[in-house]
Amino acid sequence: MKTITPPTSLMRENELLRLATVIPHVYLRDEAALIGLKWPAYRFHSPMQLNLMFRDAYNDTCHSRRPYNSGEEGWVPIGGISPTLNFSKVSGQLTQLHVARQQADLLGMPYEDYIRFCFDFAERRVRKFIPRPNQLAPSPAARETWFAKLKTYWPDEVIWTRLLSTAGLESYDLRNDLGLPAQSRFRQQVLRLAQRQVTNNATFYGLAVLERRWLRPEDVVAVNPPVWEQARLSAETDDRGGGHIAAPHVPLTDMGQRQGCFGLPGVDASTDESCRACSARQACDMLRDDIIVRLREQHGCDDPVGEAKRLANRVRVRRHRAKNKDAAAPLLKVIPSPEPGA
């Protein structure tokens, strides 16, 4: 999957404006709630960047698959999402891609792992076609089985291994901590892995505290003081022998400090829990207000896609009612007058 280069401030503002004109706001409002759930490497990327990354992950998985034997024909291959899909134009395919990506974010999985699991599940179900993006999530009938398989596929030990192999987590270095919801939630998730003992305690302490600087020593020791105090001593003794070397400090740029939901139209900061606890809320609200002003100047409303859909629906309803009214109107028949003397 390709790595997306972080945009400049102006690029980010134009990207938010473009996103608000191609995706209905009803599908944007959840981005703030997802900020602490999605895979940590994605939390400081904008929704449009993540849509591109999801498309690439989906296409890479499609192209790596070969038809399997589900009868005479096997799995009918498809070419993935068209590279000509216009991300600057309203389309049902783009909206489906956006919603499918949010499903992966809700589960907190890297896109390639999520899509690979969904393809494997479809293969076991002996489906004829590779699932499209809007078919990746489980159906109501398969939901229980789907999540049971996911629990086996994505255990805590795998999550820990994937975290260690994931690049671009400088935002979670304690030296870059700004108290943002994405960072706070990440530390809670790593502490949960410590509680579940996904690896040797001394190794975990050495990696999460001494090397990556994701957690403070006192936070880890507080999980179970007798056990983790011994792990701390073992890790620090190993550290003095050169076992754990702290990663170099990579200061964040201004854009690197912005979460993916920063300034995003459609988000209700007054009701969203993540927004209420966000240290960047004031600057975020100011940017969102600026974007909304630009939307009103250019399109006459806050939600151009949603408003267009509502207008089309009103026209459709009026036509339907007019058609029914005409069909129900009685046919007027001219009754001839009786002949004189008849």
Side-chain angles (χ1 to χ4, degrees):
M1 185 171 61
K2 300 176 183 178
T3 301
I4 304 296
T5 303
T8 64
S9 180
L10 181 59
M11 289 172 59
R12 182 66 169 268
E13 292 181 23
N14 291 334
E15 189 177 75
L16 289 174
L17 185 65
R18 177 162 56 97
L19 183 68
T21 59
V22 296
I23 299 292
H25 286 195
V26 67
Y27 299 121
L28 296 178
R29 65 179 59 161
D30 293 332
E31 292 294 335
L34 290 172
I35 204 66
L37 299 176
K38 61 182 65 172
W39 185 244
Y42 302 153
R43 297 177 188 179
F44 289 84
H45 287 295
S46 71
M48 187 62 77
Q49 290 176 311
L50 296 182
N51 289 342
L52 289 166
M53 294 167 70
F54 190 87
R55 179 202 62 186
D56 292 340
Y58 180 85
N59 284 346
D60 289 345
T61 307
C62 282
H63 299 156
S64 66
R65 291 279 167 158
R66 58 181 177 82
Y68 67 86
N69 187 14
S70 60
E72 296 182 359
E73 297 180 0
W75 207 355
V76 179
I78 59 175
I81 300 171
S82 172
T84 62
L85 176 62
N86 192 340
F87 279 70
S88 299
K89 184 179 179 180
V90 179
S91 71
Q93 189 176 10
L94 178 59
T95 302
Q96 289 178 357
L97 177 69
H98 180 89
V99 174
R101 187 265 302 168
Q102 288 183 322
Q103 291 292 329
D105 288 341
L106 185 63
L107 295 172
M109 298 176 66
Y111 298 148
E112 57 269 24
D113 291 290
Y114 171 75
I115 296 169
R116 189 182 305 118
F117 169 78
C118 294
F119 277 25
D120 289 343
F121 186 84
E123 182 175 347
R124 288 191 297 268
R125 290 274 168 155
V126 199
R127 293 179 181 171
K128 184 175 180 181
F129 294 97
I130 289 177
R132 299 296 295 173
N134 61 316
Q135 298 169 331
L136 292 171
S139 65
R143 185 176 179 83
E144 184 176 351
T145 303
W146 195 90
F147 277 100
K149 295 290 184 182
L150 180 65
K151 187 176 181 179
T152 303
Y153 176 84
W154 192 243
D156 291 331
E157 293 76 12
V158 173
I159 296 174
W160 172 244
T161 301
R162 290 289 279 119
L163 274 177
L164 294 178
S165 63
T166 299
L169 299 183
E170 295 83 5
S171 298
Y172 306 106
D173 188 320
L174 283 168
R175 293 165 290 188
N176 291 327
D177 187 52
L178 297 171
L180 296 171
Q183 295 171 322
S184 302
R185 179 62 174 165
F186 173 78
R187 306 200 198 291
Q188 294 172 8
Q189 292 163 338
V190 177
L191 278 174
R192 186 192 64 183
L193 295 177
Q195 294 169 346
R196 298 183 179 182
Q197 297 184 310
V198 292
T199 187
N200 175 272
N201 288 345
T203 301
F204 184 97
Y205 186 96
L207 291 169
V209 177
L210 301 179
E211 290 188 20
R212 307 299 175 94
R213 304 290 180 92
W214 290 340
L215 298 174
R216 295 187 297 266
E218 56 270 26
D219 292 336
V220 181
V221 172
V223 170
N224 188 336
V227 173
W228 284 98
E229 181 62 26
Q230 182 59 45
R232 182 187 68 81
L233 293 174
S234 298
E236 290 180 351
T237 300
D238 188 32
D239 184 40
R240 286 193 288 271
H244 296 287
I245 301 175
H249 180 211
V250 181
L252 297 180
T253 63
D254 177 62
M255 289 306 300
Q257 300 172 9
R258 295 190 178 185
Q259 299 174 123
C261 56
F262 187 86
L264 186 65
V267 174
D268 187 353
S270 63
T271 59
D272 189 271
E273 183 178 352
S274 298
C275 294
R276 291 200 299 267
C278 186
S279 59
R281 177 175 175 179
Q282 184 176 1
C284 176
D285 288 345
M286 291 176 62
L287 177 58
R288 183 182 299 110
D289 291 342
D290 290 343
I291 298 296
I292 290 176
V293 169
R294 294 175 63 181
L295 285 171
R296 290 173 178 172
E297 289 175 349
Q298 297 179 18
H299 304 277
C301 62
D302 298 358
D303 182 10
V305 184
E307 185 61 30
K309 287 190 174 185
R310 287 187 287 271
L311 178 60
N313 186 60
R314 286 196 293 267
V315 171
R316 181 186 62 80
V317 169
R318 281 200 299 267
R319 289 177 177 174
H320 180 73
R321 289 175 177 173
K323 183 178 179 180
N324 289 344
K325 182 178 180 181
D326 292 342
L331 296 177
L332 298 177
K333 296 181 180 180
V334 178
I335 301 176
S337 301
E339 292 293 334

